[in-house]
Amino acid sequence: MRAPALKAILLQLHSVAGLVLAAVLVLVAVTGAVMSFEDEIRGALDAGRVQLVSDAAPRMLPDALIAKRQAGGDPVASITMPRVATSAIEVRFARKPDHTRPAPLYLDPYTGDSLGHPAADAFFVTVRKLHRWLLLPGDGNGYGRIVTGVAALGLLTMLLTGLVLRWPHRPGSIKVWLKPHWQLRGRGLHRSLHAVIGTWVLLVYLIMTLTGLWWSFDWYKAAATWLLARSPVTTQRTHRPAVPAPPSAEVSLDRVWAAFVTERGDRFAAARLTLPSGRDSTVRVRAWLTDARDGVHDDFRIDGRTGQILSADLYVDKTIGEKLLARLLDIHRGSIFGWPGQLVFMLAAAAMPLFGVTGVLLYLSRRRHKRMQLAARGTAGQRRCRG
């Protein structure tokens, strides 16, 4: 196939994908930009509530805290215990029968009294649902994540076809790749902005797309796990067989917390204890190793009846591929590169509306140009017939 014909096909594919998916991509990108510094915004807004004055009294233990909270009627799903005694404790609640979930709650670690809900929680929850599932029914189990996944695949297609379409005659010239032609007007300026800014953000969009597909398609997640991770049997440190618990023994988070602290000491920033569901007595404990609450964490499975540590999945034991999977969200939003990375990713996401606008303008100008060409050919044909 000749190069002009191939480029015509790629241009058609690029244009159709852009027109069909433009609205979804702009919505996903803008909401992603809003969430880029979510942790920092929340931390600043909540600083006055989550940082407490030291108290001579000991902190309440998880069971007492949960009992006090569940007296209000909402069952607790997890409790996050910070290592620092002057930081507030966070509880998250289970879903209600209507599939809604009450907002998380901060607790005073010495009295168990409520310190209020996280600031802007409802706002960011809505933005996150819009980003991942477009607020469509079913949330993560609905078809919204399939729509965003298809949009991500469409963006990947546009990135690759766009790179081929804009490949310059002098590919070694940095100026050609990165400098817009500001002296142009109309269609020429739109094309220059569309192509040059696309070059600036190409790598960022590739990273966003390839990581974002993890949350859209199970087959993609399975393939990435197969490629980058070892078998779960080899990634977890197994401990001694669990000590049989008395028939009357109940799940105790105090017992789990004591076992965890004995195992870890002070080598953690915060730990989330997730209550077991059904008849299972295994409590999952996620221990963050830094205050960032990022992918650098260890996971434990502890028997809530005996306090026996059943397994430990430690970050230090992970391979490079497994560490990449553990920090996929940090890669997706650029925080793995620190705040400069977050800023670059936020600006790149915020630039998506520009692609939508310039892309539509280019498409309309091409259609108008073709109509003018056809009209000119028709007029020329009529003149020849008359002649």
Side-chain angles (χ1 to χ4, degrees), residues 42-52:
R42 283 176 176 266
L45 294 176
D46 290 334
R49 282 181 291 178
V50 300
Q51 299 300 323
L52 310 174

Side-chain angles (χ1 to χ4, degrees), residues 260-276:
F260 168 75
V261 172
T262 300
E263 173 74 15
R264 298 297 292 167
D266 61 355
R267 301 188 306 278
F268 71 101
R272 177 181 294 162
L273 286 64
T274 301
L275 280 69

Side-chain angles (χ1 to χ4, degrees), residues 39-94:
D39 294 340
E40 289 76 8
I41 294 172
R42 283 176 176 266
L45 294 176
D46 290 334
R49 282 181 291 178
V50 300
Q51 299 300 323
L52 310 174
V53 178
S54 180
D55 196 315
R59 287 196 297 179
M60 294 179 66
L61 292 175
D63 284 338
L65 288 166
I66 290 177
K68 186 169 185 177
R69 279 302 98 202
Q70 292 192 147
D74 292 325
V76 173
S78 68
I79 181 169
T80 301
M81 307 283 290
R83 179 180 58 83
V84 179
T86 54
S87 295
I89 289 169
E90 181 186 71
V91 293
R92 294 176 179 267
F93 299 96

Side-chain angles (χ1 to χ4, degrees), residues 240-271:
R240 297 187 306 271
V243 177
S248 59
E250 296 183 355
V251 172
S252 169
L253 291 190
D254 291 354
R255 193 178 294 119
V256 171
W257 177 245
F260 168 75
V261 172
T262 300
E263 173 74 15
R264 298 297 292 167
D266 61 355
R267 301 188 306 278
F268 71 101

Side-chain angles (χ1 to χ4, degrees), residues 103-114:
L105 194 65
Y106 289 129
L107 302 181
D108 187 307
Y110 302 103
T111 66
D113 293 337
S114 171

Side-chain angles (χ1 to χ4, degrees), residues 15 21 27 33 67 95 108 118 130 135 150-151 172-173 187 190 199 203 226 242 244 279 329 338 362 369 379-380:
S15 301
L21 302 173
L27 186 60
R95 290 187 182 276
D108 187 307
L130 192 58
L135 290 179
V150 171
S173 173
R187 181 183 177 188
H190 298 156
T199 304
L203 181 60
W226 173 82
R279 298 181 179 180
L329 179 59
L362 286 172
H369 184 66
T379 303

Side-chain angles (χ1 to χ4, degrees), residues 227-247:
L227 181 64
L228 297 175
R230 298 167 292 174
S231 167
V233 175
T234 62
T235 61
Q236 295 182 350
R237 294 185 182 182
T238 55
H239 290 248
R240 297 187 306 271
V243 177

